[in-house]
Structure formats: C-alpha cells, structure tokens
C-alpha cells in the first residue's frame, strides 16, 4: 500500500519532469538521481520521467559511477527497442549503444502545446533544387505532448517541412 507521502513525491517527480522536458525549467540533480533509483527499483516509471532523466544526464555529460551509466544505457536501449528515437540520444554514442537504426536519418522531435494528434508535412528537395510532392505522415507519440519522426535524406537532399497539430479535425500549422 502506498503512503500519501509517496504519492506526493511521485506526483512531484512527474510534474518536475514535464517542467524540465517540455517547458525548459531546470531539473535538480537530486531529482534526476531519485528517478534513476526508482527506475532501478521498479522500472515502471512514466515515460516523461525516463526521458527527463536520460536527457538530464546527456546534457551534463558527467557520469562518475559505472553502475549509473549502465542503468542509463539500459534505459536508453529499452526506449530504442520500443522504436523511440530522439535526436539527443546520440549524445550517448560513447556508451557503446548500437545506433545503427538512427544513422543516416534525420530525426525531428516536436513538443505539442496540448494533447493533440501531430502530423509532419514535408517536401523533399534534391540537390538540383527540383521539388517533389508534399507528403504527410503522422508523427510517432513518445509520451503526452512529445512526438518524433525520422526521415532518410540522401546526399544532396534537404527537406522543407511543417508540423501540424490536429485540433477538432482541422490541421493547424
């Protein structure tokens, strides 16, 4: 049975993770450590907490304990095996994670302003500046308000794109 204090800590952990990951607030080192301990103990954390913890350690780029690094790599591998690829994952390159599924791809992460479906409308442009037809695909949800897509771009190609949020059946740029 969970104690009221544990529920409060859990709610605080989730709220601070959202504030860090989606709103640009800082994440306290102690909270990042706590999230990692919770992952080690139960491994049933909300996705936003797992993402916030991974991103925090990727950004500070300081790992002193091998056990902590092993946990972070395990967490990263779980997300990648679930098909989640975010651009900042590549900051873990030195940790011997297999990034073959991300190489040669351009990965775009998008944070929606509300709970909506998100689409990616893009126009590939070749090196001779000839344009192809606009394409629209759904972006993959990672967790509430976090989406990503990945596209293979060949040498000399670029892409023009827009992200569309679907609100009441209407796509809003």
């Amino acid at each position: 049975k969970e104690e009221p204090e544990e529920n409060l800590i859990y709610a605080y952990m989730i709220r601070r993770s959202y504030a860090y990951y989606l709103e640009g607030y800082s994440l306290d080192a102690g909270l990042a450590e706590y999230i990692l301990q919770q992952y080690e103990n139960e491994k049933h954390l909300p996705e936003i907490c797992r993402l916030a913890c991974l991103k925090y350690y990727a950004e500070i780029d300081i790992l002193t304990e091998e056990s902590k690094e092993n946990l972070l790599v395990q967490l990263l591998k779980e997300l990648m095996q679930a098909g989640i690829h975010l651009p900042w994952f590549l900051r873990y390159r030195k940790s011997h994670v297999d990034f073959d599924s991300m190489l040669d791809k351009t990965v775009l992460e998008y944070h929606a302003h509300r709970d909506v479906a998100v689409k990616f409308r893009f126009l590939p442009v070749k090196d001779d500046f000839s344009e192809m037809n606009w394409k629209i695909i759904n972006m993959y949800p990672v967790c509430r308000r976090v989406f990503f897509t990945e596209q293979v771009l060949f040498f000399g190609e670029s892409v023009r794109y827009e992200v569309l949020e679907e609100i009441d059946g209407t796509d809003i740029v």
Side-chain angles (χ1 to χ4, degrees):
K1 181 179 172 184
E2 289 189 23
E3 299 294 321
E5 184 178 305
E6 290 177 24
N7 290 337
L8 185 61
I9 292 170
Y10 192 75
Y12 177 78
M13 177 181 69
I14 293 169
R15 178 62 195 122
R16 292 302 303 157
S17 294
Y18 268 108
Y20 169 69
Y21 200 85
L22 293 170
E23 299 166 4
Y25 289 91
S26 63
L27 186 68
D28 181 76
L31 184 56
E33 182 74 31
Y34 179 79
I35 293 170
L36 197 56
Q37 287 172 357
Q38 293 302 303
Y39 171 73
E40 182 177 26
N41 293 337
E42 61 183 66
K43 300 180 186 187
H44 291 86
L45 289 171
E47 211 70 62
I48 192 66
C49 296
R50 295 160 33 129
L51 290 172
C53 182
L54 265 177
K55 189 171 184 182
Y56 172 82
Y57 285 107
E59 287 178 347
I60 64 169
D61 199 31
I62 299 171
L63 292 177
T64 55
E65 304 168 30
E66 186 175 332
S67 61
K68 188 182 295 184
E69 184 173 2
N70 290 340
L71 277 173
L72 291 165
V73 167
Q74 179 182 336
L75 177 52
L76 179 65
K77 285 180 179 180
E78 284 179 16
L79 292 172
M80 290 181 69
Q81 287 171 352
I84 297 170
H85 300 143
L86 298 171
W88 55 266
F89 281 10
L90 295 174
R91 293 181 185 164
Y92 283 96
R93 274 192 183 179
K94 62 185 174 199
S95 61
H96 308 293
V97 174
D98 180 13
F99 286 103
D100 287 348
S101 60
M102 288 183 67
L103 297 178
D104 298 329
K105 293 181 182 174
T106 299
V107 181
L108 175 75
E109 178 179 3
Y110 180 73
H111 298 174
H113 297 92
R114 56 188 75 83
D115 293 331
V116 294
V118 177
K119 297 176 185 174
F120 180 71
R121 179 168 53 192
F122 63 103
L123 178 67
V125 180
K126 296 187 180 222
D127 57 357
D128 63 0
F129 299 103
S130 63
E131 296 181 354
M132 299 158 71
N133 293 326
W134 283 94
K135 298 177 184 178
I136 298 178
I137 59 172
N138 291 325
M139 293 186 79
Y140 303 108
V142 176
C143 64
R144 184 175 169 239
R145 296 179 44 207
V146 178
F147 298 83
F148 82 98
T149 189
E150 53 190 358
Q151 299 296 314
V152 175
L153 293 180
F154 297 102
F155 182 78
E157 282 187 332
S158 62
V159 67
R160 285 196 270 166
Y161 69 90
E162 298 174 329
V163 177
L164 309 170
E165 293 186 12
E166 185 179 318
I167 301 170
D168 298 326
T170 304
D171 292 337
I172 309 291
V173 178

